Amino acid sequence: MVWPIRTLEYICTSIFAGGDVPKGNYSKFKTDKYFIPIFSNGEKNKGLYGFTDKARVVQPSMTVSARGTIGYSEVRYEPFFPVVRLIVLTPNPDFVELNYLKYILRGMDFVNSGSSIPQLTVPMIKDYQCALPPIHEQKRIVTILDQAFADIEKARANAEQNLKNARELFESYLQQVFSQRGEGWVESELFDHVKFIDYRGKTPKKTESGLRLITAKNVRMGYLRKAPEEYVAPESYDAWMTRGIPQKGDVLFTSEAPLANVAQLDTDEKVVFAQRLITMQPDRSILNEDFLKYLLMSPPIQKRILEKGTGATVTGIKASLLKKIPIEYPSSLKEQRKHVANLNRLDSYVKQLENVYFNKLKALDELKKSILQKAFSGELTKNKTSEENAA
């Protein structure tokens, strides 16, 4: 089945970019006078900016995010006012059905205009091409896609809930360990038995290759992320790392943006630290380094740290306050290692579950793409059309 190929400009009555917010007749809240929604760039209707008293678009149309996360599309049935970083496409009903246009846009791989921040432009989007079957065929395809995508979204919701449940299982056990302490636990301030290596405020000169640079951006809750991969020159190591040399197993703590992510250094290789990062080296005769990681990740200690956080725009904590955070732990290293072994086993099990559900989510995304490709090549309705012709 061969359908004509048409550009988006051909099948739409208009394609234009949003304008400035109508400040003279604008409200953050819906009122009797201001009830026309103002949409800005944003995913899943989170781009609602406010309300105005005059619509710029009165016909059912599509909006496409044009900056940042480019290409996210949404159907707008009611009159609205679009603002900057949003492109509006109004379909020509003689050529294309609105919901077919929706799937066309969601099946497209939009290309960045080339700037450092991903963005789409009106001239670019006008030239994108699509297969254009007759209107009755479009409606048939939309019916099939609606059902298929509803089933996929249901499966996605289940996978995401299972993913959430897996992580909550670990967090619940972590909460139990550090809130229901048994005999033999002692209390101290964090700095009593932990050395701080603090490179915050210093920014080394980066190079294209060399020694790995670890910043707060690499530290996620419970693990060290490889990306972003940044480097410094090897010859600068000795002059730079004058505040302390890290060791494998040291606990890494983000002091802001975000506050209180915790991970462990996972390599014996030379690495360089900088930017909002504190390295903690426990006295290993008193505190097991793995236990310290889990202790700092635990809800009770996270709560104490976050309560000490300050900052109007970005929440951070002063090293002087962090050092005085009270912590509790078993005086016996054997007991600490026992808790670590249990937490490691559960963490490993949870990570296995997470991989299963991540793969399921990835497979569902690939299934969506496959279904859309079949829809626009005529494969989805080919068998049904053949059956109808035979009848």
Side-chain angles (χ1 to χ4, degrees):
M1 185 180 300
V2 179
W3 294 325
I5 303 299
R6 297 288 185 261
T7 63
L8 290 177
E9 182 178 27
Y10 180 89
I11 66 175
C12 292
T13 58
S14 67
I15 301 177
F16 67 93
D20 295 329
V21 178
K23 298 185 184 300
N25 51 355
Y26 159 77
S27 170
K28 288 185 177 180
F29 307 101
K30 188 174 183 179
T31 66
D32 290 339
K33 180 180 180 182
Y34 301 115
F35 58 89
I36 301 296
I38 301 171
F39 289 109
S40 63
N41 192 28
E43 293 192 11
K44 300 181 180 177
N45 284 321
K46 292 180 181 178
L48 181 61
Y49 193 99
F51 297 89
T52 185
D53 61 352
K54 186 176 182 180
R56 187 177 176 190
V57 182
V58 295
Q59 294 178 315
S61 300
M62 296 294 306
T63 57
V64 177
S65 57
R67 187 173 173 86
T69 306
I70 62 173
Y72 182 84
S73 60
E74 192 62 66
V75 181
R76 311 291 184 187
Y77 292 103
E78 302 299 327
F80 67 97
F81 192 106
V83 296
V84 292
R85 301 177 182 175
L86 203 62
I87 294 176
V88 179
L89 299 92
T90 302
N92 185 331
D94 293 333
F95 296 139
V96 64
E97 199 265 342
L98 176 64
N99 285 294
Y100 185 76
L101 177 60
K102 173 187 72 175
Y103 285 118
I104 287 174
L105 294 172
R106 292 184 178 178
M108 285 183 170
D109 292 322
F110 290 105
V111 178
N112 178 24
S113 66
S115 64
S116 57
I117 300 176
Q119 60 183 359
L120 283 172
T121 64
V122 170
M124 287 172 57
I125 205 169
K126 283 182 176 181
D127 290 335
Y128 276 86
Q129 296 180 331
C130 60
L132 193 67
I135 292 292
H136 72 273
E137 189 73 3
Q138 293 179 29
K139 291 181 178 179
R140 187 188 312 198
I141 290 171
V142 166
T143 299
I144 296 172
L145 289 176
D146 281 347
Q147 183 59 58
F149 275 50
D151 292 342
I152 290 173
E153 286 307 310
K154 184 177 179 180
R156 169 175 280 279
N158 289 337
E160 288 177 342
Q161 184 60 51
N162 288 333
L163 188 60
K164 181 181 177 182
N165 291 344
R167 179 45 55 187
E168 287 178 348
L169 173 66
F170 177 77
E171 291 175 353
S172 175
Y173 185 71
L174 198 62
Q175 167 79 24
Q176 179 182 337
V177 169
F178 291 98
S179 60
Q180 300 178 10
R181 300 178 292 275
E183 293 183 5
W185 284 60
V186 295
E187 180 178 333
S188 70
E189 292 182 349
L190 182 58
F191 195 59
D192 288 345
H193 306 298
V194 178
K195 176 185 176 182
F196 281 32
I197 303 176
D198 189 352
Y199 281 91
R200 293 178 302 161
K202 296 184 70 178
T203 303
K205 183 178 180 180
K206 299 174 186 177
T207 57
E208 292 185 2
S209 61
L211 297 178
R212 181 182 175 192
L213 174 66
I214 297 178
T215 74
K217 292 178 287 187
N218 300 109
V219 179
R220 302 294 91 187
M221 185 59 84
Y223 68 97
L224 198 58
R225 184 175 66 176
K226 190 173 182 181
E229 296 184 54
E230 298 176 301
Y231 304 92
V232 299
E235 56 268 22
S236 66
Y237 182 84
D238 291 337
W240 182 262
M241 298 296 287
T242 56
R243 298 183 182 178
I245 302 300
Q247 304 172 28
K248 184 177 181 180
D250 284 354
V251 176
L252 310 180
F253 178 91
T254 58
S255 60
E256 64 177 25
L259 172 59
N261 272 358
V262 180
Q264 274 183 292
L265 183 59
D266 54 5
T267 179
D268 287 316
E269 297 177 3
K270 284 185 177 181
V271 293
V272 176
F273 291 98
Q275 297 181 23
R276 310 188 308 277
L277 199 59
I278 296 174
T279 303
M280 298 186 185
Q281 293 182 333
D283 179 342
R284 286 170 167 81
S285 67
I286 296 175
L287 266 176
N288 175 274
E289 61 269 30
D290 300 308
F291 185 86
L292 177 62
K293 177 191 73 172
Y294 286 126
L295 185 150
L296 291 172
M297 288 172 59
S298 70
I301 303 302
Q302 283 278 309
K303 184 173 183 293
R304 293 174 193 175
I305 293 170
L306 295 176
E307 286 176 346
K308 295 293 184 180
T310 58
T313 55
V314 176
T315 302
I317 188 169
K318 296 178 181 179
S320 58
L321 295 176
L322 180 61
K323 290 176 179 180
K324 292 184 174 297
I325 293 293
I327 58 172
E328 297 85 20
Y329 51 91
S331 59
S332 165
L333 285 172
K334 181 179 179 180
E335 185 70 15
Q336 291 179 31
R337 287 191 286 267
K338 178 180 176 182
H339 285 298
V340 167
N342 290 335
L343 286 163
N344 281 343
R345 279 194 294 270
L346 183 57
D347 187 46
S348 177
Y349 171 69
V350 168
K351 281 184 169 62
Q352 290 176 22
L353 289 179
E354 286 179 334
N355 285 333
V356 169
Y357 296 126
F358 276 133
N359 288 333
K360 283 187 177 181
L361 291 172
K362 184 178 179 180
L364 290 171
D365 288 337
E366 292 299 321
L367 179 59
K368 276 187 175 183
K369 292 179 182 178
S370 174
I371 291 173
L372 286 173
Q373 289 173 354
K374 290 181 179 180
F376 301 137
S377 65
E379 292 184 46
L380 278 187
T381 54
K382 180 171 61 177
N383 293 337
K384 188 172 182 180
T385 300
S386 300
E387 292 172 2
E388 290 175 350
N389 290 336

